Amino acid sequence: MTEVMIRTPNGEMPAYLATPDGTGPWPGVVVIHDFAGMSHDLRHQADWLAGEGYLAAAPDLYYWGSRLRCLWTIMREVTAGQGRTVADIDAARDWLAARPDCTGRIGVLGFCMGGGYALALATGHGYAAASTNYGGCPSDAEQALAGACPVVGSYGAKDRSPMGARAAARLEAALTAAGVDHDIKVYPGASHGFINDHDPADMTLLLTVLNRVSGTRYHEPSARDAHRRIAAFFGRHLSA
């Protein structure tokens, strides 16, 4: 497990790289963070993926400016599906694919806003599978997800944000209509952010307020099952 720098069209981007034990090559996964940015939890998620046999790169998308400035840009660009954030994530994917210890089959996994990017990148960006976790659903989902890679999604029934259970139902319908292989599940006991167990040291005042508004809360039983489903789904689509 190590900190690395990835060259992007916008500069050098720091990232956390988690490598499986043993001898590769391994499939890769780009892990896209939530509002917290580079955090203890993000590293733990990458470590979990490495334990499942994936070379996991978790870029810090806030590297180029203040948290608020970066957030504003990131949230604006996710709906457009293009811009510096997409270029940065694409650079992380290309960096992984070019490594000799990577098979070249790459998945993308994201949480909250990162889950939105996982969906936005599921079509036309070279991914073999995508995992969106409480990442909402595009308003034009049926059109946007035509030709998408397989998608596994996890949502909380108690999520008070627009990215929760209602989005899951729309995503399920859109993927079915588009003929995309998928596994979408809504967890009845879970709220927003239920897979992310954030260290208090990573919680800024802004994040604390946002968590209260959205009802964000870690829910271990749901997180454990979501991890199981993601690992199984990636196993089917990234190990081929």
Side-chain angles (χ1 to χ4, degrees), residues 82-133:
Q82 58 184 354
R84 71 174 299 150
T85 307
V86 171
D88 285 343
I89 299 169
D90 279 347
R93 194 210 72 84
D94 293 346
W95 180 86
L96 267 181
R99 289 177 60 92
D101 55 357
C102 183
T103 64
R105 291 188 66 80
I106 311 291
V108 59
L109 178 151
F111 306 99
C112 185
M113 68 179 193
Y117 272 96
L119 283 178
L121 297 169
T123 305
H125 288 265
Y127 291 101
S131 171
T132 179
N133 301 284

Side-chain angles (χ1 to χ4, degrees), residues 137 141-143 145 169-180:
C137 178
E142 194 166 324
Q143 178 182 352
L145 294 171
R170 290 193 293 110
L171 181 60
E172 172 79 43
L175 292 170
T176 299
V180 174

Side-chain angles (χ1 to χ4, degrees), residues 147-164:
C149 66
V151 175
V152 55
S154 300
Y155 294 81
K158 297 181 179 179
D159 190 337
R160 298 199 295 264
S161 79
M163 306 170 86

Side-chain angles (χ1 to χ4, degrees), residues 22 42 186:
L42 185 69
V186 177

Side-chain angles (χ1 to χ4, degrees), residues 68-79:
L68 281 175
R69 183 184 175 200
C70 293
L71 264 176
W72 173 258
T73 299
I74 289 168
M75 296 307 294
R76 185 179 70 247
E77 290 178 351
V78 69
T79 55

